[in-house]
Amino acid sequence: MKIITDHILWWILLIVATAVVSAVTSYQITPAGMLTSMAGHLAFAVGIALVPWIVYRLFGKPLNTEQMMATITVGWLILAVANLSV
C-alpha cells in the first residue's frame, strides 16, 4: 500500500510512540498486553481517519497519502492524550 511505503519513517515513529504510551498506561507490562494495547490504539487512529477519508471521497476530492497520515496522527493524538490524562 502506498500510504505505508511512502511514509515509512512516519509509521515507525507512530509505532514507537504507541509502544511508549502503551507502556506508560499499562499497570503490568506483558507482551500480549502490549500487543493488544498497540493494536487497539492504531486501529482506533485508523478508524477515526476513515471518517474524513470517506467524506472527502464522496465529494470527489480524495485525500492524498500525506493528508491521510495527518488524520491518522490526529486520531492517534486524541487517544494518546485521553489515555495519558487518566
Side-chain angles (χ1 to χ4, degrees):
M1 289 187 43
K2 192 172 183 178
I3 193 167
I4 294 172
T5 58
D6 285 355
H7 305 287
I8 290 179
L9 180 60
W10 203 333
W11 280 107
I12 290 170
L13 292 174
L14 205 57
I15 289 170
V16 168
T18 303
V20 170
V21 169
S22 295
V24 168
T25 58
S26 295
Y27 292 110
Q28 185 177 18
I29 299 174
T30 62
M34 286 292 290
L35 185 61
T36 303
S37 177
M38 288 178 62
H41 203 103
L42 291 172
F44 177 85
V46 171
I48 291 297
L50 286 177
V51 174
W53 179 79
I54 290 169
V55 170
Y56 277 92
R57 178 139 327 251
L58 288 174
F59 287 117
K61 297 182 179 182
L63 300 175
N64 62 32
T65 59
E66 188 173 312
Q67 292 167 328
M68 193 62 189
M69 284 303 299
T71 57
I72 290 170
T73 304
V74 168
W76 183 91
L77 283 171
I78 291 169
L79 189 58
V81 169
N83 282 342
L84 292 173
S85 67
V86 174

